[in-house]
Amino acid sequence: MEALGGYPTKSSAFRAKLFKVLLSVALCMGSLYLIQNKLSKSRKPKDFYSYEVKDARGRTMSLEKYRGKVSLVVNVASGSELTEQNYGSLQELHRELGTSHFNVLAFPCSQYGDTETGTSRDIEAFARSNYGVTFPIFSKIKIMGSEAEPAFKFITDSVQRIPKWNFWKFLVNPEGQVVHFWKPEEPIEEIRKEAIVLVRNIILKKRQEL
């Protein structure tokens, strides 16, 4: 409705002003959403060491502490027919190559039958007391399905393979990229050869930087 003389009423002018304010707010909110979405995507982990996981006691920890080293990531189990053989050989490899340049990183998983039924702390205590394991054992995780642990999903996505049983092994280089994987029946000697090459490269690089 217009006032006499063709001028807009005060109410219509107020509505027009309010519309402009609301439009401006909407545009600002849209811009903020786009910026936030872009930042969120830019923060998406790009390598294995960019992730956080939980240790056997449920404490959140960053895998960044292993950046610059070689890691052998393994889905372990306490009650598998492969447990004794693998825990022994993994501990030997962990001790041989040393934690300065190499670590075995164990992720218990309960999705393969009844081979890992205890709590994360039970699993850690079992491995320590029965096999003298000194390498890190993290909280029990899921590898398959929508609840898969993000750090381990990065591993399986990298090689386009999901473990079909316990003790699959994935070799991660110092930059956090998966460079090789082995099924449980494959000999530890093959893994040792690949790991030694990466460890030697780290040592040579450090010497060149001195």
Side-chain angles (χ1 to χ4, degrees):
M1 179 178 179
E2 293 185 350
L4 293 175
Y7 293 101
T9 64
K10 288 183 178 179
S11 60
S12 62
F14 174 76
R15 286 196 296 269
K17 187 175 182 181
L18 180 61
F19 175 77
K20 288 181 180 179
V21 171
L22 291 173
L23 180 61
S24 177
V25 170
L27 289 172
C28 286
M29 293 295 290
S31 298
L32 286 171
Y33 171 79
L34 290 173
I35 292 170
Q36 188 176 31
N37 191 45
K38 187 174 181 180
L39 287 172
S40 177
K41 288 181 178 178
S42 67
R43 288 195 297 265
K44 184 178 180 181
K46 294 181 174 60
D47 61 73
F48 179 67
Y49 300 128
S50 299
Y51 287 88
E52 290 184 340
V53 296
K54 292 187 182 300
D55 66 12
R57 290 165 176 74
R59 298 171 299 193
T60 300
M61 61 162 290
S62 173
L63 291 171
E64 282 290 341
K65 67 181 293 184
Y66 301 108
R67 186 178 296 281
K69 302 179 182 182
V70 181
S71 299
L72 186 67
V73 180
V74 189
N75 63 304
V76 301
S78 303
S80 171
E81 75 282 5
L82 304 171
T83 300
E84 183 171 353
Q85 174 189 346
N86 276 272
Y87 266 143
S89 58
L90 288 171
Q91 174 58 25
E92 181 182 342
L93 187 63
H94 182 76
R95 184 176 59 248
E96 177 188 342
L97 297 186
T99 57
S100 296
H101 308 297
F102 174 86
N103 287 282
V104 172
L105 304 180
F107 288 84
C109 179
S110 60
Q111 289 182 298
Y112 301 100
D114 295 324
T115 56
E116 195 68 285
T117 57
T119 67
S120 298
R121 296 192 72 169
D122 290 339
I123 294 164
E124 182 182 51
F126 172 83
R128 301 270 190 259
S129 61
N130 287 278
Y131 301 105
V133 165
T134 59
F135 51 77
I137 297 178
F138 299 100
S139 180
K140 187 162 62 173
I141 64 167
K142 290 184 178 179
I143 291 173
M144 300 176 284
S146 60
E147 297 181 56
E149 169 65 41
F152 212 97
K153 190 174 187 305
F154 173 84
I155 295 284
T156 56
D157 285 349
S158 296
V159 298
Q160 294 295 296
R161 294 286 190 283
I162 295 178
K164 296 180 179 179
W165 196 240
N166 310 298
F167 293 101
W168 280 48
K169 303 166 185 77
F170 303 85
L171 192 64
V172 179
N173 68 15
E175 293 72 44
Q177 303 301 325
V178 185
V179 294
H180 209 115
F181 76 94
W182 294 267
K183 297 177 182 179
E185 63 272 15
E186 297 182 77
I188 199 73
E189 185 54 41
E190 293 301 315
I191 301 171
R192 178 181 281 104
K193 289 177 183 178
E194 295 281 348
I196 286 174
V197 170
L198 292 180
V199 168
R200 282 176 177 168
N201 288 341
I202 293 173
I203 295 171
L204 287 173
K205 185 178 179 180
K206 286 183 176 179
R207 286 176 179 172
Q208 291 171 357
E209 292 173 351
L210 293 176

